[in-house]
């Protein structure tokens, strides 16, 4: 008996030690286990190599159809065929004719789906449908990502604030929303690793007793992400927090928690979705306005009337034409109700538009040593504000206020000043946050929606809404960037069920440009967009920029930018860049000395990405307008000249582009004093130079004060009439 008790006495401590060790070991393994970080592995398609004799074999990528060919396909759906004569050199290069068009009647060949709206939702639906073997078209009145989809906070996230609400309000729907978004976040980074990345975000903690609360919250966030998580959250002491983010205010700072979310280039992601769907066979057309919906004798939708807006810019006629489709999807974001009223004038509006203002500040507002963002969960009015490094600058926002729906809303001074005031709250008092430091500011309209079938039609849908009208208009509205793919999947599922469509396996195109990758292997007619890599992703790696530098002689920051914006298509962009006639860089003429955007991007945007206007280029193909409104104005002559040469613009069209772009830049925060600037003003350097507040921000002509006398005493030969001394 005594021996048995002694055995138990030895066994229990051993059991406790073993259990504790196993628990600690499990936690450490989960926290520090090897993980596959998107973009860190070698490229699926290796970079091009040099053959015998040193000959270079550039990659050969498939081309999308030209815009003219896409419009011809739209007309063919309703029984019209366009024949063209001999085209321009550019037309022959990309496979279309630019001569006189004549139309003749042919047999109708309707689409399975016509999608109205080319934002994140519409382009995502197009890709999903095309990869299920459906015949699909997507048309956009302006440009891909011209609205809300380009004016986001740039985060790909589950939403820590939604998780907090889910816990405190015991809201299972909020919990599901966060869980879904965390899963979609991983898919997002897997399918477009060149356009998205992981970002550590710091959460400053002012009081010691808040640390356990926020620590538990971020750990729960990690737990929900599960296998889709990349890095675990961790705590920083005050000294470590200040070392990582030196701009933080030291007073009342206890420490900080760091958790991980994703960040992306939203408009380039949107353009890539549209282009990838085009490669998979979708008809994709921007600057094409739907002017009406068409119904059969039973009141069912059978198509739409549309009009090309580009000829109008050249003072040419652009008659309406019909597009036939078995099903029509409304994915127009804030403009959802305008399409719903085309279908039925009596419907009640479901969109509750909310304005989200963001400002762009110089890059020195973000820490240089470590790329980290910052979240302030306790602003003066209870909203959350993000402060993130993006494209070399710093983005801060956002607000959330009711607004009216308009194409390019202006960011109000009240909202801008509120953001700056909140930034001052958590930055060191040594840093003066000035209104003049705002390089760009914009307002994005978030389309919050009400469910028209709900008992309480005033309550807003937390996630997204899919609704089918009596005539067959399928509307997808609401949601957020992170969950665009899930929204698209659910919408296509509804379309297949309601419109009697039959998915089928897809004979995939050679998107990667290499026979080594079979993109159609998994495309069996079901939704596979969680593993369909977007254009540019196949040959991307984090070291690809080195290959570009070594072959083309582009500058390092330019090479990094090209790879992070175009992936493996950076080879084509660099090859379209003009020689500099310098020793180094050998290629790539910057359109703005402040940023790494180069001339080849303009040519690539026109030839391969459907860019039709100067705004398309400076706002959505490059991001210059979102980074610096004044720099965009100064780059505008170069952009217009290159586009005019590529597209054969007249002097009148060039003037139209100038006026339209300056008007757009006003919505991006261009100071009012510069909104009447002419091209001559910009090229001469007179555009607001001395009247402008930004010009007065810096001490350009302050004298050296007492420094001059002390310098002369130590150096009697110093000339007092030196330029710097005047």
């Amino acid at each position: 008996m005594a021996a048995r008790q002694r055995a138990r006495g030895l066994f229990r401590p051993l059991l406790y030690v073993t259990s504790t060790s196993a628990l600690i070991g499990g936690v450490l393994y989960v926290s520090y286990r090897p993980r596959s970080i998107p973009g860190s592995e070698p490229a699926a398609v290796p970079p091009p190599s040099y053959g015998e004799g040193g000959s270079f074999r550039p990659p050969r990528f498939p081309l999308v159809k030209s815009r003219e060919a896409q419009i011809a396909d739209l007309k063919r759906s309703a029984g019209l065929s366009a024949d063209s004569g001999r085209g321009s050199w550019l037309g022959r290069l990309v496979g279309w004719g630019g001569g006189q068009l004549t139309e003749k009647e042919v047999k109708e060949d309707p689409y399975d789906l016509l999608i109205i709206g080319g934002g994140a939702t519409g382009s995502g639906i197009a890709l999903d449908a095309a990869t299920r073997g459906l015949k699909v078209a997507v048309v956009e009145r302006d440009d891909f990502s011209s609205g809300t989809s380009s004016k986001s906070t740039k985060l790909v996230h589950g939403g820590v604030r939604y998780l907090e609400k889910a816990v405190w309000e015991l809201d299972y729907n909020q919990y599901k929303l966060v869980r879904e978004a965390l899963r979609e976040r991983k898919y997002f980074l897997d399918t477009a690793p060149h356009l998205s990345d992981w970002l550590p975000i710091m959460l400053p903690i002012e009081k010691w007793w808040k640390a356990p609360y926020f620590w538990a919250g971020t750990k729960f966030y990690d737990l929900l992400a599960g296998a889709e998580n990349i890095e675990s959250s961790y705590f920083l002491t005050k000294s470590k927090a200040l070392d990582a983010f030196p701009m933080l205010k030291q007073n009342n700072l206890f420490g900080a928690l760091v958790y991980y979310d994703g960040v992306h280039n939203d408009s380039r992601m949107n353009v890539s979705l549209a282009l990838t769907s085009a490669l998979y066979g979708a008809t994709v057309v921007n600057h094409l306005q739907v002017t009406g919906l068409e119904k059969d004798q039973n009141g069912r939708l059978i198509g739409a009337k549309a009009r090309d807006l580009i000829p109008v810019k050249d003072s040419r006629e652009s008659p309406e034409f019909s597009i036939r489709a078995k099903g029509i999807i409304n994915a127009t974001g804030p403009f959802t109700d305008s399409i719903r009223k085309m279908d039925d004038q009596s419907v009640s509006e479901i969109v509750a538009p909310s304005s989200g203002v963001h400002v762009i500040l110089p890059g020195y507002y973000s820490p240089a040593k470590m790329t980290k963002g910052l979240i302030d969960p306790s602003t003066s009015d209870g909203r959350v504000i993000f402060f993130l490094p993006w494209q070399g600058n710093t983005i801060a926002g956002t607000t959330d206020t009711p607004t009216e729906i308009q194409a390019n809303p202006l960011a109000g001074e009240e909202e801008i000043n509120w953001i700056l005031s909140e930034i001052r709250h958590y930055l060191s008092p040594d840093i003066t946050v000035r209104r003049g430091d705002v390089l760009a500011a914009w307002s994005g309209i978030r389309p919050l929606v009400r469910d028209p079938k709900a008992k309480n039609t005033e309550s807003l849908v937390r996630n997204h809404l899919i609704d089918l009208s009596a005539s067959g208009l399928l509307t997808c509205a609401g949601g957020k960037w992170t969950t665009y793919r899930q929204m698209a999947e659910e919408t296509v599922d509804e379309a297949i069920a309601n419109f009697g469509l039959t998915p089928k396996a897809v004979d995939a195109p050679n998107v990667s440009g290499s026979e080594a990758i079979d993109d159609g292997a998994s495309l069996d007619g079901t939704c596979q967009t969680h593993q369909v890599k977007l254009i540019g992703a196949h040959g991307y790696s984090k070291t690809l920029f080195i290959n570009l530098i070594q072959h083309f002689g582009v500058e390092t920051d330019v090479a990094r930018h090209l790879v992070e914006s175009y992936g493996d298509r950076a080879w084509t962009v660099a090859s379209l860049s003009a020689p500099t006639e310098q020793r180094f860089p050998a290629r790539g003429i910057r359109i703005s000395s402040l940023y790494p955007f180069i001339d080849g991007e303009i040519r690539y945007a026109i030839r391969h990405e459907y860019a039709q206007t100067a705004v398309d280029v400076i706002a959505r193909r490059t991001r210059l307008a979102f980074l610096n409104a004044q720099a965009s104005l100064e780059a505008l002559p170069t952009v217009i000249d290159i586009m005019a040469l590529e597209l054969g613009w007249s002097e009148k069209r060039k003037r139209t582009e100038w006026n339209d772009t300056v008007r757009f830049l006003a919505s991006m925060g261009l100071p009012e004093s510069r909104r009447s600037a002419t091209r001559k003003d910009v090229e001469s350097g007179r555009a607001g130079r001395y009247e402008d507040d930004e010009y007065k921000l810096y001490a350009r002509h302050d004298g050296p004060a007492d420094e001059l006398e002390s310098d002369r005493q130590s150096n009697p030969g110093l000339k007092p009439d030196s330029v710097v001394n005047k």
Side-chain angles (χ1 to χ4, degrees):
M1 191 75 176
R4 187 179 299 174
Q5 288 179 345
R6 284 197 299 272
R8 287 178 180 175
L10 292 173
F11 178 73
R12 284 180 181 173
L14 182 61
L15 178 63
Y16 295 152
V17 170
T18 303
S19 300
T20 304
S21 300
L23 178 62
I24 294 174
V27 171
L28 289 175
Y29 175 77
V30 169
S31 300
Y32 298 104
R33 70 189 185 278
R35 313 188 196 200
S36 175
I37 300 176
S40 61
E41 62 275 359
V45 178
S49 59
Y50 291 84
E52 294 182 6
S55 60
F56 179 69
R57 294 193 293 265
R60 299 293 181 187
F61 299 116
L63 299 176
V64 294
K65 284 185 179 180
S66 72
R67 186 173 181 274
E68 284 73 8
Q70 301 271 32
I71 292 176
D73 287 344
L74 291 176
K75 293 179 177 179
R76 193 175 296 112
S77 72
L80 283 178
S81 176
D83 295 327
S84 65
R86 186 176 179 180
S88 65
W89 69 269
L90 178 59
R92 294 192 297 274
L93 174 68
V94 296
W96 55 270
Q100 185 66 33
L101 295 177
T102 59
E103 292 182 346
K104 62 182 181 182
E105 291 189 5
V106 296
K107 184 180 179 180
E108 286 190 5
D109 186 16
Y111 289 97
D112 289 324
L113 292 174
L114 170 62
I115 302 159
I116 306 173
T121 305
S123 297
I125 293 171
L127 180 60
D128 190 300
T131 53
R132 295 201 211 187
L134 300 178
K135 184 180 179 184
V136 59
V138 57
V139 296
E140 164 59 44
R141 178 179 60 182
D142 195 334
D143 185 29
F144 311 117
S145 195
S146 59
T148 306
S149 297
S150 63
K151 297 176 179 178
S152 70
T153 308
K154 322 305 179 193
L155 282 175
V156 186
H157 64 135
V160 288
R161 56 177 173 166
Y162 300 133
L163 179 59
E164 184 180 29
K165 288 181 180 179
V167 172
W168 284 109
E169 298 174 13
L170 298 178
D171 189 334
Y172 182 67
N173 289 325
Q174 286 273 19
Y175 168 82
K176 282 203 313 182
L177 174 62
V178 176
R179 185 71 186 90
E180 174 188 294
L182 288 172
R183 183 189 67 245
E184 292 299 319
R185 180 184 69 176
K186 185 61 162 55
Y187 294 155
F188 205 112
L189 274 69
D190 282 339
T191 56
H194 56 302
L195 295 171
S196 51
D197 203 357
W198 292 95
L199 178 70
I201 299 177
M202 181 182 291
L203 198 163
I205 299 173
E206 295 181 346
K207 305 294 183 183
W208 69 265
W209 50 267
K210 291 184 178 181
Y213 175 76
F214 287 122
W215 182 87
T218 55
K219 286 302 176 185
F220 190 23
Y221 196 61
D222 295 342
L223 181 64
L224 279 184
E228 282 83 30
N229 201 24
I230 287 295
E231 293 288 349
S232 298
S233 57
Y234 57 91
F235 177 77
L236 290 176
T237 62
K238 178 178 180 178
S239 60
K240 290 291 185 181
L242 291 172
D243 182 58
F245 210 116
M247 293 76 75
L248 278 179
K249 181 171 62 176
Q250 298 188 31
N251 293 342
N252 297 323
L253 179 66
F254 173 74
L257 275 161
V258 177
Y259 71 96
Y260 285 77
D261 256 327
V263 66
H264 75 134
N265 188 335
D266 51 8
S267 73
R268 286 222 51 85
M269 181 75 181
N270 198 155
V271 170
S272 295
L273 285 168
L275 293 173
T276 307
S277 64
L279 285 176
Y280 278 94
T283 299
V284 176
V285 183
N286 56 352
H287 299 286
L288 191 91
Q289 182 177 14
V290 169
T291 56
L293 300 178
E294 296 184 325
K295 300 180 180 180
D296 63 14
Q297 58 187 3
N298 298 317
R300 296 289 298 178
L301 288 172
I302 58 171
K305 285 280 190 183
R307 182 178 182 227
D308 185 5
L309 300 180
I310 293 302
V312 178
K313 290 179 174 290
D314 291 316
S315 301
R316 292 186 286 118
E317 290 187 4
S318 181
E320 288 184 340
F321 61 90
S322 294
I323 307 170
R324 288 284 184 265
K326 299 173 185 176
I328 298 179
I329 296 177
N330 174 16
T332 51
F335 302 96
T336 292
D337 287 322
S338 64
I339 302 298
R340 293 177 70 244
K341 287 182 181 295
M342 282 186 186
D343 175 43
D344 181 0
Q345 280 288 339
S346 66
V347 297
S348 58
E349 295 185 353
I350 62 172
V351 173
S354 175
S355 169
V357 172
H358 296 81
V359 302
I360 287 285
L361 298 167
Y364 55 72
Y365 276 92
S366 296
K369 184 184 297 185
M370 297 178 68
T371 304
K372 275 190 173 66
L374 189 142
I375 179 174
D376 182 0
S378 54
T379 59
S380 58
D381 61 0
R383 287 179 285 185
V384 171
I385 191 168
F386 287 96
F387 192 70
L388 310 168
W390 186 71
Q391 300 282 307
N393 282 357
T394 304
I395 183 172
T398 179
T399 62
D400 185 10
T401 53
T403 187
E404 297 295 322
I405 297 175
Q406 51 185 308
N408 291 306
L410 299 179
E413 281 298 315
E414 183 178 349
E415 288 86 354
I416 293 173
N417 288 326
W418 178 83
I419 293 173
L420 297 180
S421 174
E422 295 302 323
I423 291 172
R424 294 185 188 103
H425 170 71
Y426 56 77
L427 290 188
S428 169
D430 297 341
I431 300 172
T432 304
V433 181
R434 307 175 295 183
R435 174 62 178 85
D437 287 335
V438 176
L439 303 177
W442 67 85
S443 171
I445 299 178
R446 184 184 178 195
L448 304 174
V449 291
R450 309 178 186 93
D451 186 350
K453 296 183 174 66
K455 292 182 180 179
N456 180 9
T457 57
E458 292 302 312
S459 61
L460 297 177
V461 176
R462 296 183 188 276
N463 194 356
H464 59 273
L465 169 74
I466 298 175
D467 178 66
L468 182 68
S469 74
S471 62
L473 178 66
L474 187 62
T475 294
C476 180
K480 60 180 182 177
W481 241 120
T482 307
T483 56
Y484 85 89
R485 195 209 63 83
Q486 181 69 27
M487 294 165 60
E489 179 180 351
E490 293 177 13
T491 304
V492 176
D493 286 344
E494 286 289 325
I496 291 171
N498 287 284
F499 301 138
L501 306 179
T502 305
K504 58 180 181 293
V506 175
D507 184 13
N510 189 10
V511 179
S512 67
S514 169
E515 299 295 335
I517 303 294
D518 182 7
D519 287 295
S522 62
L523 301 182
D524 57 1
T526 62
C527 178
Q528 296 294 326
T529 47
H530 62 284
Q531 55 183 336
V532 173
K533 289 190 178 296
L534 300 190
I535 185 171
H538 297 81
Y540 168 76
S541 73
K542 291 186 180 294
T543 59
L544 181 59
F545 76 97
I546 299 174
N547 301 98
L548 284 187
I549 297 170
Q550 291 177 335
H551 182 70
F552 291 106
V554 294
E555 294 174 271
T556 301
D557 61 333
V558 170
R560 287 183 182 274
H561 154 68
L562 293 182
V563 168
E564 291 168 1
S565 297
Y566 303 91
D568 56 24
R569 266 49 174 190
W571 288 104
T572 307
V573 179
S575 68
L576 292 173
S577 303
T580 64
E581 306 304 333
Q582 301 175 8
R583 187 187 67 81
F584 191 86
R587 276 182 184 260
I589 299 172
R590 295 183 186 238
I591 62 175
S592 170
S593 61
L594 300 174
Y595 298 95
F597 306 116
I598 57 174
D599 60 318
E601 295 181 74
I602 304 173
R603 298 184 187 93
Y604 183 82
I606 296 166
R607 301 185 190 185
H608 301 281
E609 293 186 334
Y610 300 126
Q612 297 294 308
T613 70
V615 174
D616 293 351
V617 169
I618 66 168
R620 270 94 60 175
R621 304 310 185 279
T622 71
R623 305 312 308 274
L624 186 56
F626 282 81
L627 293 171
N628 194 317
Q630 172 63 17
S632 299
L633 181 67
E634 293 165 356
L636 193 53
T638 300
V639 173
I640 288 178
D641 285 348
I642 294 176
M643 295 191 75
L645 188 62
E646 291 281 317
L647 296 171
W649 286 349
S650 64
E651 288 298 320
K652 182 179 179 182
R653 175 65 186 275
K654 290 167 73 173
R655 289 193 295 271
T656 299
E657 288 296 321
W658 180 273
N659 294 332
D660 289 349
T661 308
V662 173
R663 194 177 305 116
F664 170 80
L665 289 176
S667 71
M668 302 305 297
L670 187 70
E672 193 167 351
S673 61
R674 303 180 191 179
R675 296 175 190 175
S676 59
T678 64
R679 176 167 179 157
K680 188 175 181 180
D681 291 336
V682 171
E683 291 179 325
S684 66
R686 293 198 308 268
R689 182 176 180 184
Y690 290 101
E691 297 81 4
D692 181 69
D693 290 338
E694 184 181 335
Y695 192 83
K696 299 173 184 176
L697 283 176
Y698 310 103
R700 299 175 185 272
H701 304 293
D702 285 2
D706 59 336
E707 296 298 323
L708 178 58
E709 280 304 314
S710 61
D711 290 346
R712 290 181 65 183
Q713 290 176 9
S714 59
N715 186 0
L718 183 68
K719 301 294 184 182
D721 57 350
S722 171
V723 174
V724 75
N725 293 330
K726 291 184 178 180

